[in-house]
Amino acid sequence: FQLIWCWGVSLNAIFALTDEQNPPLGPSDYVGVVLFAVALVLQTGADLQKNAFRQNPENKGIPCTKWFWAVSRHPNYFGEMLQWWMIFLLSAPVLWKSADQWGWVTVISPVLTMLILLFLSGMPTAEGKALERFYKSEKGRPIIEDYMESVPPIIPFVPVLYRLFPRWLKMLICFEFPMYQYSPSSDEEGDPEGGAGTGGRM
């Protein structure tokens, strides 16, 4: 699976680098480079911030809600997705001029990255049941409940505005899927330390 995943997400870059077309730099290239750099800083910075947060014993049982994590529950995932979309944008001039129109199929690269992070090895393992430790923490539960209502799972957004969105709108434009919700198991129902809501590994 990992071999197929690596090949799939790299397909777009492979095509652009091996095609005979070599168009001059244009506006899309400059935009792509700048946003790729932003995405790389976001992904790397978010990982470093979370690591620093977890190193503090006082933060045990509570989610990271600071810095980049204040506007996205998973800014590192957003950064990774954005990087692959910018690689696709950078390859667009080559795809446009290439005699092989099948090159546009390589859009599967950023799409596959999104699908993996949204439905396979990313969000499903980071949220849902994985948030049990926060909901069972006396200190963490009020924080996680407020956090899940006011901060989107992937795309950074203003918390005070996101809180006002109806559930269907959150799902439509911010990927707030029901599968990310935390639900206690049947033997925990009624337990004052349990609870229902939405969650994510922070």
Side-chain angles (χ1 to χ4, degrees), residues 30 98 143 149:
Y30 299 115
S98 177
I143 297 175
E149 286 298 316

Side-chain angles (χ1 to χ4, degrees), residues 86-156:
M86 289 308 98
I87 290 175
F88 178 75
L89 177 62
L90 288 168
S91 71
V94 175
L95 299 176
W96 187 261
K97 292 181 176 295
S98 177
D100 187 358
Q101 293 303 305
W102 281 101
W104 290 102
V105 176
T106 61
V107 71
I108 192 174
S109 294
V111 171
L112 181 60
T113 299
M114 288 188 65
L115 292 177
I116 290 173
L117 291 176
L118 289 174
F119 302 111
L120 295 176
S121 64
M123 294 293 294
T125 62
E127 299 211 340
K129 184 67 174 176
L131 290 189
E132 184 177 44
R133 66 192 187 282
F134 297 137
Y135 281 94
K136 286 195 168 185
S137 167
E138 182 178 352
K139 182 171 59 172
R141 181 165 180 170
I143 297 175
I144 191 65
E145 289 179 340
D146 179 73
Y147 188 57
M148 305 314 295
E149 286 298 316
S150 58
V151 178
I154 298 290
I155 303 174

Side-chain angles (χ1 to χ4, degrees), residues 50 53-54 61-65 69 72-77 117 122-135 140-141 143-149 151-154 167 175-183 196-202:
K50 182 170 66 173
F53 183 84
R54 287 179 171 175
I62 63 176
C64 180
T65 61
W69 299 82
S72 169
R73 301 206 302 265
H74 299 280
N76 50 344
Y77 291 168
L117 291 176
M123 294 293 294
T125 62
E127 299 211 340
K129 184 67 174 176
L131 290 189
E132 184 177 44
R133 66 192 187 282
F134 297 137
Y135 281 94
R141 181 165 180 170
I143 297 175
I144 191 65
E145 289 179 340
D146 179 73
Y147 188 57
M148 305 314 295
E149 286 298 316
V151 178
I154 298 290
R167 181 64 60 181
F175 308 115
E176 189 73 81
F177 299 124
M179 65 187 297
Y180 303 153
Q181 296 179 356
Y182 168 73
S183 297
T198 52
R201 187 182 298 272
M202 293 94 184

